[in-house]
Amino acid sequence: MTLRVLVPWQRLFDALQIPGIEPILWHINDDPEDAPEAEVLVTERPSNPELRSRVARIKGLRHVHLLSIGYEWVLEHLPQHATLTNSRGAVEDATAEHCLALILASLRELPKALEQQRKQRWERIWTSSLHGSTVLLLGAGGVGSAIAERLAPFKPAQVITVASKARTLDDGTVVHGISDVEQLLPLADIVIVALPHTSRTERLVNAEFLARLRDGALLVNIGRGPIVDTEALLQELDRGQLRAALDVTDPEPLPSGHPLWTAPNCLVTPHMAGDTGEFLKLVSELAIAQVRGIFVGKKPFNIVTDRN
């Protein structure tokens, strides 16, 4: 029996040229036609939300492997009996690295320095710093943990971690429950959003949330765009009350002419946190191992069990 596998990249197609496996090059974003019949789909998250439903139209599909950690987009389109896995373990380091880059670029006013460079103007800029700041980190999963690990060498005054449930981690870190956020917000110089998008987190960062932050605080969203109320954030930015660094936005992709592009003290990157050569290598290795394991009858790893 041949295992038909849809893959989005040539390197995966080449690596799966194995007797008994038939790789089929098909990209959920780029191919004009729906996918041919296949048992396994290896896919990125489609940039256009309207293309997500293409998953549901794949005949014979019994397993989906995502080249990302986030999986919420695919749930409503997943066949009832299909299993779902993600790329946990390949994405966290690149995402955490980009998060730190956003923080440092924003705090140390690098966009302003670049503007001065282009004008050939030598003028010192006094800035804030990660050193000595209080960081409120929303998210204690793989990405949140990787971010916390990278924050430590910069000597913040403290890092306060928040997740859906209060608990103490193996290393002794106290994690606050989401219900504590309201009282913690006034303490924060920097708020990092590294949460998944769920019904509980949608618009968590709303007008009331933002109003509790001290003037000049920096909001960093490395999680999902809909967690932040864009209109509420724009109002705070326009008033000069807050700063923002966003790798994800709502809407996404951010359309030309959207006010976030030109909002004051706002740095935007195009959902590129995981887009590194090392990530590509690691995520490809995971996908190849997953498909080979399925072919020989092994239980898939990184199974997503939360499908409600």
Side-chain angles (χ1 to χ4, degrees):
M1 180 178 176
T2 300
L3 183 70
R4 292 167 58 88
V5 183
L6 300 165
V7 295
W9 305 329
Q10 186 68 44
R11 68 188 300 170
L12 295 176
F13 179 87
D14 294 340
L16 290 171
Q17 295 293 332
I18 300 167
I21 297 179
E22 181 186 349
I24 303 165
L25 203 55
W26 182 80
H27 200 294
I28 195 168
N29 275 323
D30 303 334
D31 277 88
E33 301 295 330
D34 278 348
E37 183 174 347
E39 291 78 41
V40 178
L41 168 67
V42 178
T43 185
E44 299 180 283
R45 179 175 182 262
S47 56
N48 182 351
E50 294 181 2
L51 298 177
R52 298 174 183 176
S53 61
R54 302 183 88 180
V55 174
R57 298 195 292 273
I58 301 173
K59 293 181 180 179
L61 188 63
R62 58 185 176 89
H63 184 85
V64 175
H65 178 76
L66 301 178
L67 298 164
S68 61
I69 296 178
Y71 57 84
E72 68 283 346
W73 67 270
V74 78
L75 294 180
E76 66 179 293
H77 309 293
L78 198 66
Q80 185 176 0
H81 300 295
T83 50
L84 175 66
T85 56
N86 67 5
S87 292
R88 188 171 66 251
V91 186
E92 295 87 340
D93 289 325
T95 303
E97 181 178 284
H98 192 74
C99 180
L100 265 290
L102 288 175
I103 293 170
L104 295 172
S106 298
L107 295 180
R108 299 310 301 266
E109 302 281 5
L110 294 191
K112 183 176 181 179
L114 179 59
E115 183 180 342
Q116 288 187 181
Q117 177 186 343
R118 287 172 173 163
K119 295 178 180 178
Q120 301 182 34
R121 196 173 78 222
W122 186 277
E123 184 177 318
R124 293 172 66 187
I125 305 170
W126 287 90
T127 73
S128 51
S129 68
L130 181 48
H131 184 197
S133 293
T134 294
V135 181
L136 184 60
L137 174 57
L138 306 184
V143 171
S145 298
I147 292 170
E149 182 181 348
R150 284 159 176 78
L151 288 171
F154 291 90
K155 300 180 180 179
Q158 62 177 328
V159 177
I160 306 170
T161 303
V162 175
S164 57
K165 295 180 181 179
R167 59 189 186 274
T168 301
L169 303 181
D170 292 341
D171 63 2
T173 300
V174 174
V175 177
H176 295 261
I178 202 74
S179 58
D180 293 338
V181 165
E182 186 175 323
Q183 67 191 53
L184 294 170
L185 287 172
L187 306 176
D189 300 298
I190 304 164
V191 176
I192 302 171
V193 180
L195 295 166
H197 176 212
T198 67
S199 58
R200 291 187 65 191
T201 63
E202 183 158 351
R203 301 292 187 275
L204 172 68
V205 182
N206 55 23
E208 293 76 18
F209 181 109
L210 297 171
R212 295 191 66 80
L213 291 172
R214 58 181 64 173
D215 289 353
L218 171 65
L219 175 73
V220 181
N221 191 1
I222 202 79
R224 285 289 181 264
I227 298 172
V228 176
D229 184 328
T230 299
E231 291 305 316
L233 177 60
L234 280 168
Q235 290 182 24
E236 295 289 341
L237 292 172
D238 289 340
R239 287 198 292 263
Q241 299 294 101
L242 297 176
R243 294 175 285 177
L246 312 171
D247 186 54
V248 291
T249 61
D250 184 24
E252 189 177 306
L254 196 62
S256 176
H258 193 282
L260 269 180
W261 286 118
T262 55
N265 295 313
C266 183
L267 175 60
V268 177
T269 57
H271 203 149
M272 57 178 280
D275 296 350
T276 70
E278 184 65 13
F279 159 75
L280 190 61
K281 170 180 172 288
L282 293 173
V283 82
S284 296
E285 290 173 353
L286 272 182
I288 293 164
Q290 189 74 271
V291 171
R292 287 179 172 175
I294 291 171
F295 176 63
V296 298
K298 291 183 179 179
K299 181 180 179 180
F301 56 85
N302 284 1
I303 290 180
V304 175
T305 57
D306 180 14
R307 294 174 56 176
N308 295 324

